[in-house]
Amino acid sequence: MATKAIILPFLSIICLFGCNITPNKESKMEKKIVIAHRGASGYLPEHTLEAKAMAHAMNADFIEQDVVLSKDDVPIVIHDIYLDDVTDVASKFSERKRKDNRYYVIDFTFNELQTLKVTERFNPKTGQQVYKNRFPKWKASFRLHSLQEEIELIQGLNASTGKNIGIYPEIKAPEFHQKEGKKISEIVLKILSDYGYHSKKDNCILQCFDAKELQRIRKELKSELFLMQLIEFPEETKHLDFFATYADGIGPWYTQILDKKVEGRWQFTDLVAEAHQLGLKVHPYTFRADALGEFTSFEKMVHTLLIDAEVDGVFTDFPDLVLKFLEKQNHEF
Ligand code: G3P
Ligand code: CA
């Protein structure tokens, strides 16, 4: 006890100088957390190792990995089951598209995927960059990578900087993988376990949109990790009681928390209060400084959700801006 009393203030002083050492998972989850959505993707092409290294340097609490399997069962860190909106697959392997004109990660081996150039997200039909003021399309040189490579990068940076930044993998499209004869959850859980992520204390939060699969991960595959149930559609918010039987939190779209504006102030739905009553953390997505929705500034957006609506953390493409906001808040109180 006495040792803890001496060490904790010491760690806080270190944190003032840019490190983010957190002694264990529980203490990290007690504060509001910043999740680097696809890395520092507001500044570098999403899900590149460069975007992850930048997010680590910014001191995000967690760095996100969306995971899809290759033909040879290598978990690739990429947002979609498709390749053609972030790579040059259409020019390198033009004959490998499916009938729907899309190119699928699952149709390529890891070696083939590593030959592709990665770029800032664009619309494959028009070629237009989605976020116009972000990193310019096709500039510099970026590649796809595996989940293992990314974990090694984050754990390596944790070792070399003394930080304790967590990972936040998402199992993408489990039903699609199953139809293709692939066991994505089993493969991902094995890798997480190989790298030391077993329990809720291990600085890893596992997320999935598919409730059936996330429940299976807890009940059948016996995972003891911190599990987040992602929510896509508003009607799913009615199932919090069910989610609480296997998950530790929910990840809704932030608009599901907003109700209406009364005299210039946002009123909120019951989602956060009900989730908290069930002991569920709430981490809404996605906070983008260049896609503000109904807000007039990023600061107002973050304040409304993180402070007024009392969510527990946010997925953001701009982790530096949310961290700066939180630092300012801490100084004001
Ligand atoms: O996983 C949280 C957030 O990333 C969900 O949206 O579509 O960016 O994976 P998406
Ligand atoms: Ca995601």
Side-chain angles (χ1 to χ4, degrees):
M1 198 62 183
T3 318
K4 207 172 178 187
I6 294 164
I7 288 173
L8 286 179
F10 174 67
L11 289 177
S12 309
I13 291 164
I14 292 174
C15 289
L16 284 176
F17 294 96
C19 284
N20 194 16
I21 297 169
T22 310
N24 60 45
K25 180 62 178 302
E26 277 94 353
S27 58
K28 186 179 265 190
M29 292 304 284
E30 276 163 22
K31 67 183 188 85
K32 294 188 186 289
I33 63 164
V34 178
I35 306 141
H37 181 251
R38 313 181 197 174
S41 57
Y43 304 98
L44 280 162
E46 65 184 51
H47 283 317
T48 55
L49 286 178
E50 289 82 351
K52 307 306 171 87
M54 189 172 187
H56 195 283
M58 286 173 171
N59 288 332
D61 296 293
F62 288 86
I63 299 175
E64 192 203 26
Q65 302 76 33
D66 291 313
V67 180
V68 175
L69 289 184
S70 70
K71 190 175 185 173
D72 46 352
D73 285 344
V74 178
I76 307 298
V77 180
I78 186 168
H79 180 260
D80 296 306
I81 56 173
Y82 313 113
L83 288 161
D84 44 307
D85 35 23
V86 288
T87 75
D88 61 348
V89 66
S91 56
K92 273 211 180 87
F93 293 98
S94 60
E95 75 292 355
R96 300 271 292 272
K97 64 184 172 201
R98 289 194 183 187
K99 281 192 187 120
D100 60 1
N101 283 331
R102 303 301 306 262
Y103 296 81
Y104 287 70
V105 179
I106 214 158
D107 292 337
F108 295 82
T109 63
F110 184 47
N111 281 345
E112 287 172 331
L113 292 169
Q114 283 180 306
T115 67
L116 298 177
K117 270 188 86 170
V118 174
T119 189
E120 183 63 34
R121 173 168 291 274
F122 61 97
N123 179 331
K125 284 188 187 144
T126 63
Q128 291 281 312
Q129 186 166 327
V130 174
Y131 296 100
K132 296 189 175 45
N133 295 322
R134 293 193 183 183
F135 199 90
K137 198 157 65 99
W138 301 123
K139 296 293 182 189
S141 179
F142 305 100
R143 300 279 159 177
L144 292 170
H145 61 272
S146 67
L147 177 62
Q148 296 94 313
E149 287 171 314
E150 181 157 336
I151 292 173
E152 287 182 15
L153 176 81
I154 293 168
Q155 291 190 345
L157 284 169
N158 281 345
S160 61
T161 61
K163 297 183 192 177
N164 184 28
I165 289 173
I167 62 168
Y168 207 131
E170 178 185 344
I171 294 189
K172 282 282 175 190
E175 210 177 318
F176 166 80
H177 281 91
Q178 198 193 359
K179 280 186 190 141
E180 297 282 329
K182 303 264 183 214
K183 295 188 167 184
I184 184 168
S185 297
E186 283 84 343
I187 290 171
V188 169
L189 285 173
K190 165 83 171 62
I191 288 165
L192 295 179
S193 170
D194 288 348
Y195 280 93
Y197 302 110
H198 312 283
S199 79
K200 291 178 198 189
K201 290 185 186 165
D202 290 330
N203 226 1
C204 168
I205 300 179
L206 184 63
Q207 45 165 344
C208 191
F209 274 105
D210 188 321
K212 221 171 106 191
E213 185 68 359
L214 201 65
Q215 188 198 30
R216 191 177 81 85
I217 286 170
R218 176 72 85 216
K219 306 279 182 193
E220 207 179 302
L221 303 182
K222 309 272 184 230
S223 172
E224 291 175 13
L225 290 170
F226 200 100
L227 301 183
M228 290 302 271
Q229 178 62 59
L230 297 173
I231 297 176
E232 185 172 8
F233 303 108
E235 57 270 26
E236 293 174 69
T237 60
K238 294 180 196 138
H239 305 303
L240 293 191
D241 283 326
F242 170 61
F243 298 156
T245 63
Y246 59 88
D248 302 289
I250 54 166
W253 187 23
Y254 75 86
T255 60
Q256 292 160 359
I257 293 166
L258 302 173
D259 186 2
K260 55 179 185 286
K261 251 182 164 176
V262 176
E263 291 170 3
R265 286 182 72 87
W266 277 104
Q267 310 291 301
F268 304 110
T269 64
D270 295 331
L271 186 62
V272 177
E274 284 176 4
H276 284 168
Q277 249 176 5
L278 290 162
L280 296 167
K281 298 283 183 193
V282 183
H283 297 167
Y285 59 88
T286 302
F287 290 67
R288 296 178 166 116
D290 51 2
L292 295 172
E294 298 203 38
F295 293 95
T296 50
S297 76
F298 191 58
E299 194 170 335
K300 277 190 186 141
M301 184 186 201
V302 175
H303 195 289
T304 302
L305 274 299
L306 212 43
I307 307 300
D308 300 340
E310 298 182 5
V311 304
D312 306 292
V314 294
F315 285 91
T316 179
D317 295 1
F318 298 86
D320 58 330
L321 300 184
V322 180
L323 287 159
K324 203 167 131 194
F325 169 85
L326 285 172
E327 201 175 270
K328 206 168 127 199
Q329 284 286 314
N330 288 340
H331 282 132
E332 282 171 12
F333 288 101

PDB file of all heavy atoms in Angstrom, residues 204-219:
ATOM      1  N   CYS A 204      -6.372  -4.660 -23.723  1.00  0.00           N
ATOM      2  CA  CYS A 204      -6.923  -4.988 -25.043  1.00  0.00           C
ATOM      3  C   CYS A 204      -8.439  -5.005 -24.921  1.00  0.00           C
ATOM      4  O   CYS A 204      -8.983  -5.625 -24.008  1.00  0.00           O
ATOM      5  CB  CYS A 204      -6.427  -6.366 -25.480  1.00  0.00           C
ATOM      6  SG  CYS A 204      -7.284  -7.045 -26.912  1.00  0.00           S
ATOM      7  N   ILE A 205      -9.098  -4.285 -25.826  1.00  0.00           N
ATOM      8  CA  ILE A 205     -10.567  -4.308 -25.874  1.00  0.00           C
ATOM      9  C   ILE A 205     -10.954  -4.897 -27.226  1.00  0.00           C
ATOM     10  O   ILE A 205     -10.487  -4.432 -28.268  1.00  0.00           O
ATOM     11  CB  ILE A 205     -11.147  -2.886 -25.696  1.00  0.00           C
ATOM     12  CG1 ILE A 205     -10.711  -2.302 -24.345  1.00  0.00           C
ATOM     13  CG2 ILE A 205     -12.664  -2.902 -25.823  1.00  0.00           C
ATOM     14  CD1 ILE A 205     -11.204  -0.889 -24.070  1.00  0.00           C
ATOM     15  N   LEU A 206     -11.794  -5.920 -27.191  1.00  0.00           N
ATOM     16  CA  LEU A 206     -12.187  -6.590 -28.437  1.00  0.00           C
ATOM     17  C   LEU A 206     -13.604  -6.157 -28.803  1.00  0.00           C
ATOM     18  O   LEU A 206     -14.511  -6.196 -27.966  1.00  0.00           O
ATOM     19  CB  LEU A 206     -12.118  -8.110 -28.246  1.00  0.00           C
ATOM     20  CG  LEU A 206     -12.400  -8.959 -29.478  1.00  0.00           C
ATOM     21  CD1 LEU A 206     -11.373  -8.727 -30.580  1.00  0.00           C
ATOM     22  CD2 LEU A 206     -12.410 -10.448 -29.109  1.00  0.00           C
ATOM     23  N   GLN A 207     -13.804  -5.749 -30.049  1.00  0.00           N
ATOM     24  CA  GLN A 207     -15.099  -5.211 -30.484  1.00  0.00           C
ATOM     25  C   GLN A 207     -15.631  -5.949 -31.703  1.00  0.00           C
ATOM     26  O   GLN A 207     -14.868  -6.484 -32.511  1.00  0.00           O
ATOM     27  CB  GLN A 207     -14.963  -3.712 -30.805  1.00  0.00           C
ATOM     28  CG  GLN A 207     -13.732  -3.406 -31.616  1.00  0.00           C
ATOM     29  CD  GLN A 207     -13.687  -2.037 -32.268  1.00  0.00           C
ATOM     30  OE1 GLN A 207     -14.695  -1.350 -32.390  1.00  0.00           O
ATOM     31  NE2 GLN A 207     -12.510  -1.646 -32.720  1.00  0.00           N
ATOM     32  N   CYS A 208     -16.979  -5.914 -31.824  1.00  0.00           N
ATOM     33  CA  CYS A 208     -17.612  -6.541 -32.987  1.00  0.00           C
ATOM     34  C   CYS A 208     -19.028  -5.975 -33.149  1.00  0.00           C
ATOM     35  O   CYS A 208     -19.699  -5.690 -32.155  1.00  0.00           O
ATOM     36  CB  CYS A 208     -17.678  -8.060 -32.787  1.00  0.00           C
ATOM     37  SG  CYS A 208     -18.155  -8.966 -34.267  1.00  0.00           S
ATOM     38  N   PHE A 209     -19.469  -5.796 -34.383  1.00  0.00           N
ATOM     39  CA  PHE A 209     -20.851  -5.342 -34.626  1.00  0.00           C
ATOM     40  C   PHE A 209     -21.844  -6.504 -34.504  1.00  0.00           C
ATOM     41  O   PHE A 209     -23.018  -6.287 -34.253  1.00  0.00           O
ATOM     42  CB  PHE A 209     -20.979  -4.755 -36.045  1.00  0.00           C
ATOM     43  CG  PHE A 209     -20.626  -3.296 -36.144  1.00  0.00           C
ATOM     44  CD1 PHE A 209     -19.437  -2.879 -36.709  1.00  0.00           C
ATOM     45  CD2 PHE A 209     -21.497  -2.319 -35.670  1.00  0.00           C
ATOM     46  CE1 PHE A 209     -19.104  -1.532 -36.806  1.00  0.00           C
ATOM     47  CE2 PHE A 209     -21.182  -0.971 -35.762  1.00  0.00           C
ATOM     48  CZ  PHE A 209     -19.987  -0.578 -36.336  1.00  0.00           C
ATOM     49  N   ASP A 210     -21.362  -7.720 -34.710  1.00  0.00           N
ATOM     50  CA  ASP A 210     -22.229  -8.887 -34.756  1.00  0.00           C
ATOM     51  C   ASP A 210     -22.467  -9.428 -33.338  1.00  0.00           C
ATOM     52  O   ASP A 210     -21.569 -10.024 -32.731  1.00  0.00           O
ATOM     53  CB  ASP A 210     -21.540  -9.942 -35.642  1.00  0.00           C
ATOM     54  CG  ASP A 210     -22.429 -11.141 -35.926  1.00  0.00           C
ATOM     55  OD1 ASP A 210     -23.161 -11.572 -35.010  1.00  0.00           O
ATOM     56  OD2 ASP A 210     -22.373 -11.641 -37.054  1.00  0.00           O
ATOM     57  N   ALA A 211     -23.698  -9.212 -32.819  1.00  0.00           N
ATOM     58  CA  ALA A 211     -23.991  -9.578 -31.428  1.00  0.00           C
ATOM     59  C   ALA A 211     -23.896 -11.093 -31.213  1.00  0.00           C
ATOM     60  O   ALA A 211     -23.402 -11.547 -30.181  1.00  0.00           O
ATOM     61  CB  ALA A 211     -25.371  -9.070 -31.032  1.00  0.00           C
ATOM     62  N   LYS A 212     -24.363 -11.843 -32.194  1.00  0.00           N
ATOM     63  CA  LYS A 212     -24.317 -13.315 -32.065  1.00  0.00           C
ATOM     64  C   LYS A 212     -22.868 -13.790 -31.910  1.00  0.00           C
ATOM     65  O   LYS A 212     -22.552 -14.646 -31.082  1.00  0.00           O
ATOM     66  CB  LYS A 212     -24.931 -13.935 -33.330  1.00  0.00           C
ATOM     67  CG  LYS A 212     -25.816 -15.128 -33.053  1.00  0.00           C
ATOM     68  CD  LYS A 212     -26.552 -15.543 -34.299  1.00  0.00           C
ATOM     69  CE  LYS A 212     -25.950 -16.813 -34.839  1.00  0.00           C
ATOM     70  NZ  LYS A 212     -26.418 -17.176 -36.166  1.00  0.00           N
ATOM     71  N   GLU A 213     -21.991 -13.180 -32.706  1.00  0.00           N
ATOM     72  CA  GLU A 213     -20.585 -13.596 -32.676  1.00  0.00           C
ATOM     73  C   GLU A 213     -19.899 -13.142 -31.381  1.00  0.00           C
ATOM     74  O   GLU A 213     -19.123 -13.890 -30.787  1.00  0.00           O
ATOM     75  CB  GLU A 213     -19.841 -13.031 -33.901  1.00  0.00           C
ATOM     76  CG  GLU A 213     -18.409 -13.491 -34.032  1.00  0.00           C
ATOM     77  CD  GLU A 213     -18.277 -14.989 -34.352  1.00  0.00           C
ATOM     78  OE1 GLU A 213     -19.297 -15.685 -34.460  1.00  0.00           O
ATOM     79  OE2 GLU A 213     -17.124 -15.444 -34.491  1.00  0.00           O
ATOM     80  N   LEU A 214     -20.220 -11.924 -30.937  1.00  0.00           N
ATOM     81  CA  LEU A 214     -19.568 -11.449 -29.711  1.00  0.00           C
ATOM     82  C   LEU A 214     -20.030 -12.292 -28.511  1.00  0.00           C
ATOM     83  O   LEU A 214     -19.236 -12.621 -27.621  1.00  0.00           O
ATOM     84  CB  LEU A 214     -19.846  -9.962 -29.474  1.00  0.00           C
ATOM     85  CG  LEU A 214     -18.837  -9.269 -28.554  1.00  0.00           C
ATOM     86  CD1 LEU A 214     -17.444  -9.233 -29.177  1.00  0.00           C
ATOM     87  CD2 LEU A 214     -19.270  -7.842 -28.211  1.00  0.00           C
ATOM     88  N   GLN A 215     -21.312 -12.662 -28.520  1.00  0.00           N
ATOM     89  CA  GLN A 215     -21.815 -13.531 -27.459  1.00  0.00           C
ATOM     90  C   GLN A 215     -21.102 -14.890 -27.515  1.00  0.00           C
ATOM     91  O   GLN A 215     -20.714 -15.458 -26.500  1.00  0.00           O
ATOM     92  CB  GLN A 215     -23.329 -13.722 -27.606  1.00  0.00           C
ATOM     93  CG  GLN A 215     -23.931 -14.458 -26.426  1.00  0.00           C
ATOM     94  CD  GLN A 215     -25.288 -15.035 -26.739  1.00  0.00           C
ATOM     95  OE1 GLN A 215     -25.579 -15.393 -27.889  1.00  0.00           O
ATOM     96  NE2 GLN A 215     -26.121 -15.148 -25.729  1.00  0.00           N
ATOM     97  N   ARG A 216     -20.892 -15.389 -28.733  1.00  0.00           N
ATOM     98  CA  ARG A 216     -20.194 -16.682 -28.914  1.00  0.00           C
ATOM     99  C   ARG A 216     -18.747 -16.595 -28.405  1.00  0.00           C
ATOM    100  O   ARG A 216     -18.226 -17.527 -27.788  1.00  0.00           O
ATOM    101  CB  ARG A 216     -20.205 -17.064 -30.399  1.00  0.00           C
ATOM    102  CG  ARG A 216     -19.752 -18.483 -30.691  1.00  0.00           C
ATOM    103  CD  ARG A 216     -19.870 -18.812 -32.168  1.00  0.00           C
ATOM    104  NE  ARG A 216     -18.753 -18.300 -32.948  1.00  0.00           N
ATOM    105  CZ  ARG A 216     -17.587 -18.927 -33.118  1.00  0.00           C
ATOM    106  NH1 ARG A 216     -17.392 -20.107 -32.568  1.00  0.00           N
ATOM    107  NH2 ARG A 216     -16.624 -18.386 -33.838  1.00  0.00           N
ATOM    108  N   ILE A 217     -18.140 -15.426 -28.642  1.00  0.00           N
ATOM    109  CA  ILE A 217     -16.747 -15.227 -28.199  1.00  0.00           C
ATOM    110  C   ILE A 217     -16.669 -15.347 -26.668  1.00  0.00           C
ATOM    111  O   ILE A 217     -15.753 -15.944 -26.116  1.00  0.00           O
ATOM    112  CB  ILE A 217     -16.221 -13.865 -28.707  1.00  0.00           C
ATOM    113  CG1 ILE A 217     -15.936 -13.961 -30.211  1.00  0.00           C
ATOM    114  CG2 ILE A 217     -14.987 -13.403 -27.933  1.00  0.00           C
ATOM    115  CD1 ILE A 217     -15.642 -12.645 -30.895  1.00  0.00           C
ATOM    116  N   ARG A 218     -17.676 -14.782 -25.996  1.00  0.00           N
ATOM    117  CA  ARG A 218     -17.692 -14.857 -24.529  1.00  0.00           C
ATOM    118  C   ARG A 218     -18.096 -16.255 -24.047  1.00  0.00           C
ATOM    119  O   ARG A 218     -17.408 -16.852 -23.219  1.00  0.00           O
ATOM    120  CB  ARG A 218     -18.663 -13.815 -23.952  1.00  0.00           C
ATOM    121  CG  ARG A 218     -18.820 -13.885 -22.446  1.00  0.00           C
ATOM    122  CD  ARG A 218     -17.577 -13.387 -21.685  1.00  0.00           C
ATOM    123  NE  ARG A 218     -17.603 -11.958 -21.518  1.00  0.00           N
ATOM    124  CZ  ARG A 218     -16.515 -11.169 -21.565  1.00  0.00           C
ATOM    125  NH1 ARG A 218     -15.329 -11.694 -21.779  1.00  0.00           N
ATOM    126  NH2 ARG A 218     -16.607  -9.864 -21.393  1.00  0.00           N
ATOM    127  N   LYS A 219     -19.222 -16.748 -24.571  1.00  0.00           N
ATOM    128  CA  LYS A 219     -19.808 -17.970 -23.981  1.00  0.00           C
ATOM    129  C   LYS A 219     -19.158 -19.257 -24.492  1.00  0.00           C
ATOM    130  O   LYS A 219     -18.878 -20.157 -23.721  1.00  0.00           O
ATOM    131  CB  LYS A 219     -21.329 -18.032 -24.275  1.00  0.00           C
ATOM    132  CG  LYS A 219     -22.103 -16.801 -23.843  1.00  0.00           C
ATOM    133  CD  LYS A 219     -22.437 -16.807 -22.370  1.00  0.00           C
ATOM    134  CE  LYS A 219     -23.247 -15.576 -22.010  1.00  0.00           C
ATOM    135  NZ  LYS A 219     -23.395 -15.307 -20.612  1.00  0.00           N
TER     136      LYS A 219
END
